[in-house]
Amino acid sequence: MILAAVLLTWLAQPGEALDDARTRLGALSSTALQERQAAQIWLGANLRGSDFPALTEFAATADPEARSRLTLALGESDSHLELAALLSAEDGAQARRIGEDALERMALRWWGSAPLAPTRGDDVWEHLADRFEGVFALDLAGLDLVAALDRLARADAPFVREGGGEGRLSIVIDPALYESNVRARASAAPASSPDWVRGDLDSLLIELVRTRRVYADAFALEGERPWLWVHTLPTEASLEGPALVRQWCRTVVNSRERLRGEAAARALAQCGWPAPLPWLSKLWRERADRNALAGLLAAAASGRVEPQLANASALRELLAEFERREAEPGTARAAAWSREFALALARFPQVDRDGVALWELVASWADAPGASAERVQCARRILTGMRRAPEPWRARTAGVLASDAAPFDEWLAALRLHAAAFSGSAPALKFSAERAASLREQRLEGEFVELCERLGAAPSSARVDFAALEPRTRALWIDALLATPGGVSAAVEQVRAWVRAESAPLISLGERLGERVRSGAFELVRRVLDAARGDVSEPPVGRWRELELLSGVLPMLERQRVYDELRERAPRSELDWALLGALARTGPVEAYAELALERAKTALAADASLQAPWIAAFAQAWGGALTRGQLDLAARLRRQLRLALRKARHPLLEALDAGVWPPLPGPAPQVLDDSR
């Protein structure tokens, strides 16, 4: 109590001298313990960037205890990161040590008790195996390593922590690796053909690391904030996490006009530690430091927007920077910067804290007289990410959401449906986007059903052309109707219209209904199909039979009858192939898949087309075997078909060997393209 009273008295003493940093620094060497402690507390609470000269002078002559107390004062708060970084870049050994040790204290406080010694080599992949959710597809053609890693870093891939719960794995590109890749972009040859890789995030990372001959070390894998460092020099693998962070901070200070400084700023932004972002923001706002801006954009593109950038004034300056760079000679590096700029601003909020509509500023900027095509394209990407746009722009942004080429996502599909039904006003589009985002994060089934109920209650004049929807989105809507009170009759009408439109493939609808059957709703699906079909003799009888096979409601005896009929004759039409594919997909008898294989081998010898109906039938047979766990059967089907393709010199062999075809069963992969 006495010590506390002394400290409070010391801190409360009036006079400019006592509030001066130099005076407090001198007090760190006082003979009185209370004064040394009080000075340390004051410095921890009151040091500012302008005090840097005083700190460097003090560090050169201070005694060990005084230097230690200054280190503790700096490391106590992330607000002192700028001072610590400046000290770490000093020539004087004492000042540099104070800065480095303060940075280490800040880093350790952020990453907590998780060990920051690196996990290396194959141990990295053993720790990461089966811990990511989601399936992804990445076209490596024409992508350098940095661009590919950036796309993986922005992927929505929840990481299951060892202690339970989900997090994110941050991916950091070493500055030397970044610099060498960026310099090589100018001479890179354009891609000649696609080079797709598919799988979960760890399999894509392994593919990149091994084929591009780099190294990956992981840090804090047992904590809540794990990160991966991708680099080129195995000798640097001895560095621990805090040492890397110190090195990057020092490089930002010493290389402000060089590419290495940009690379270091990006590395700091990528590691997931939020403390450097306010410092980088200050460098950008006060000194127009383009390297710092590169780091801020990298962080924002991954969803970590520095608050000091998310306001109208800062946004205007960012848009002005885009214009300044437009006037500079175009390079591959400039094109990459423009893409990341759009991805970053797409993460900005619609409205800043003062109520200014940021989306309106972006639209006005792109609508200004003389705006270039590049500026308009950039604004379209930004407004699409913000999910808000003025009336003339809404068709452009909504068109991106409704694009069939976009990766399928159930929750974004709900957004597209809602936006289509209530497209009469921009607030409705905003509301549906917010609701879909909430659903995607929380997975609230009840709210999703409510959203569908709202759509179902829309007037008949609502602008929704269900037949024109992407098939998986349309099937999602029918599935939602089955879960909505009073929605079954509407589902019956939708199913009937789908089957009667003979050009519409049934696979998406069959998969959705099959999931319902497997979840215990056999009677419901059977009743819906019976009601939708009506008169059993009404055409198209074959398509009804195909849908019954795909959904799993056809009795086993009837399946065997279909098999016997198909075995007695060669497929004569696309419907025969569709029935054979549906039969082999649902199984479970291996003979069904083997019949699909034999018919495919016969057909491919006479037809070299890549659009032949046997291709889809075989893919269903192979995918069905994998789904049921019949791995030996799946391997045998693929092996024997490959031999037949090779003998016939069929063009499909290349896709088979590349792993592009047949597609894996399960969720469609999320395509990591330029929009991410």
Side-chain angles (χ1 to χ4, degrees), residues 99-156:
E100 290 177 347
D101 289 351
L103 287 171
E104 181 170 354
R105 288 182 61 83
M106 296 177 197
L108 290 174
R109 185 170 58 250
W110 168 251
W111 277 290
S113 59
L116 286 177
T119 301
R120 306 186 185 102
D122 291 339
D123 289 343
V124 173
W125 312 121
E126 291 179 9
H127 278 81
L128 297 184
D130 301 321
R131 292 179 62 180
F132 292 99
E133 297 182 5
V135 181
F136 302 91
L138 179 65
D139 182 8
L140 297 179
L143 283 183
D144 59 39
L145 179 60
V146 166
L149 287 172
D150 278 343
R151 293 188 185 185
L152 293 184
R154 293 191 293 264
D156 183 15

Side-chain angles (χ1 to χ4, degrees), residues 294-306:
L296 293 168
L297 294 180
S302 296
R304 294 184 297 112
V305 179
E306 163 58 24

Side-chain angles (χ1 to χ4, degrees), residues 439-452:
L439 290 168
R440 187 172 186 181
E441 290 181 4
Q442 302 177 36
R443 296 297 199 268
L444 299 180
E445 295 288 343
E447 286 202 28
F448 178 58
V449 171
E450 178 188 351
L451 178 62
C452 293

Side-chain angles (χ1 to χ4, degrees), residues 342-384:
L343 290 168
L345 269 62
R347 298 281 193 151
F348 276 34
Q350 296 176 356
V351 180
D352 71 5
R353 292 179 179 179
D354 296 326
V356 179
L358 300 183
W359 57 274
E360 289 185 343
L361 292 180
V362 174
S364 299
W365 170 70
D367 286 334
S372 65
E374 290 76 11
R375 190 191 306 184
V376 173
Q377 181 183 21
C378 178
R380 179 185 61 78
R381 289 182 172 181
I382 296 170
L383 294 173
T384 299

Side-chain angles (χ1 to χ4, degrees), residues 77-430:
S77 171
D78 290 346
S79 64
H80 301 321
L81 185 138
E82 178 186 14
L83 282 172
L86 291 171
L87 287 170
S88 73
E90 279 292 289
D91 293 332
Q94 306 293 6
R96 185 168 64 250
R97 178 65 180 272
I98 291 172
E100 290 177 347
D101 289 351
L103 287 171
E104 181 170 354
R105 288 182 61 83
M106 296 177 197
L108 290 174
R109 185 170 58 250
W110 168 251
W111 277 290
S113 59
L116 286 177
T119 301
R120 306 186 185 102
D122 291 339
D123 289 343
V124 173
W125 312 121
E126 291 179 9
H127 278 81
L128 297 184
D130 301 321
R131 292 179 62 180
F132 292 99
E133 297 182 5
V135 181
F136 302 91
L138 179 65
D139 182 8
L140 297 179
L143 283 183
D144 59 39
L145 179 60
V146 166
L149 287 172
D150 278 343
R151 293 188 185 185
L152 293 184
R154 293 191 293 264
D156 183 15
F159 178 75
V160 180
R161 297 194 297 265
E162 289 188 358
E166 292 182 355
R168 292 289 296 273
L169 177 75
S170 299
I171 300 175
V172 183
I173 302 169
D174 184 75
L177 174 60
Y178 177 85
E179 187 176 13
S180 63
N181 270 252
V182 169
R183 294 191 187 284
R185 282 176 183 167
S187 58
S192 56
S193 60
D195 180 18
W196 286 98
V197 290
R198 292 172 171 80
D200 53 13
L201 197 68
D202 65 287
S203 65
L204 297 187
L205 282 169
I206 292 175
E207 177 74 13
L208 280 175
V209 167
R210 291 181 177 171
T211 58
R212 306 298 175 95
R213 298 181 180 181
V214 293
Y215 302 89
D217 296 346
F219 300 90
L221 285 177
E222 298 176 4
E224 296 184 357
R225 304 174 178 110
W227 53 288
L228 192 74
W229 171 45
V230 183
H231 60 98
T232 54
L233 298 177
T235 55
E236 290 188 4
S238 60
L239 290 175
E240 296 191 352
L244 288 169
V245 168
R246 294 197 305 262
Q247 186 182 96
W248 299 335
C249 286
R250 188 163 56 247
T251 304
V252 169
V253 174
N254 290 334
S255 305
R256 285 184 175 161
E257 301 300 325
R258 303 205 306 268
L259 179 56
R260 181 62 63 91
E262 174 185 326
R266 285 175 53 87
L268 281 174
Q270 290 168 337
C271 70
W273 186 26
L277 298 184
W279 174 42
L280 296 177
S281 176
K282 182 180 179 181
L283 290 175
W284 160 244
R285 288 180 290 106
E286 296 182 1
R287 303 188 183 185
D289 189 322
R290 286 187 168 185
N291 290 345
L293 178 58
L296 293 168
L297 294 180
S302 296
R304 294 184 297 112
V305 179
E306 163 58 24
Q308 296 181 67
L309 291 185
N311 60 71
S313 175
L315 177 60
R316 290 189 183 96
E317 181 54 36
L318 288 171
L319 297 176
E321 174 67 10
F322 185 97
E323 294 180 37
R324 287 191 288 270
R325 297 209 182 202
E326 266 192 311
E328 298 173 1
T331 62
R333 182 182 177 191
W337 183 90
S338 177
R339 287 192 297 271
E340 189 158 60
F341 180 88
L343 290 168
L345 269 62
R347 298 281 193 151
F348 276 34
Q350 296 176 356
V351 180
D352 71 5
R353 292 179 179 179
D354 296 326
V356 179
L358 300 183
W359 57 274
E360 289 185 343
L361 292 180
V362 174
S364 299
W365 170 70
D367 286 334
S372 65
E374 290 76 11
R375 190 191 306 184
V376 173
Q377 181 183 21
C378 178
R380 179 185 61 78
R381 289 182 172 181
I382 296 170
L383 294 173
T384 299
M386 287 184 171
R387 308 292 187 194
R388 189 73 188 270
E391 182 70 28
W393 281 81
R394 246 197 5 260
R396 307 178 201 175
T397 55
V400 175
L401 295 177
S403 171
D404 287 353
F408 179 75
D409 182 289
E410 290 190 5
W411 309 103
L412 289 181
L415 162 62
R416 288 197 288 268
L417 287 169
H418 193 277
F422 296 98
S423 58
S425 64
L429 179 59
K430 175 177 180 291

